[in-house]
Amino acid sequence: MDTANMLINVVAILSGLFLYIGITNTKWGKEHEGYQYAIMLGTILCAVLIGGFIRWLV
């Protein structure tokens, strides 16, 4: 794997992680603790889309 792809993957993973943390720390996220699995899946999907968009740019 080349360096650019590895960096894109790291950025995508970190963006998904920070998005998940950001959502769960909001008032809405705390009110919907029962939906953590769905929120996690949504943020993973966003991370994949962000990584794909960065690959498209590069």
Side-chain angles (χ1 to χ4, degrees), residues 2-57:
D2 61 297
T3 306
N5 282 331
M6 187 169 60
L7 290 175
I8 290 170
N9 288 339
V10 169
V11 168
I13 290 168
L14 289 177
S15 67
L17 176 66
F18 289 133
L19 183 62
Y20 175 75
I21 291 171
I23 290 173
T24 56
N25 284 332
T26 62
K27 181 181 175 184
W28 183 87
K30 291 177 182 175
E31 290 175 355
H32 295 87
E33 288 180 1
Y35 299 108
Q36 291 300 312
Y37 188 70
I39 294 169
M40 188 183 339
L41 286 175
T43 57
I44 290 172
L45 178 62
C46 287
V48 168
L49 292 174
I50 289 169
F53 181 71
I54 293 172
R55 284 186 206 282
W56 179 74
L57 287 176

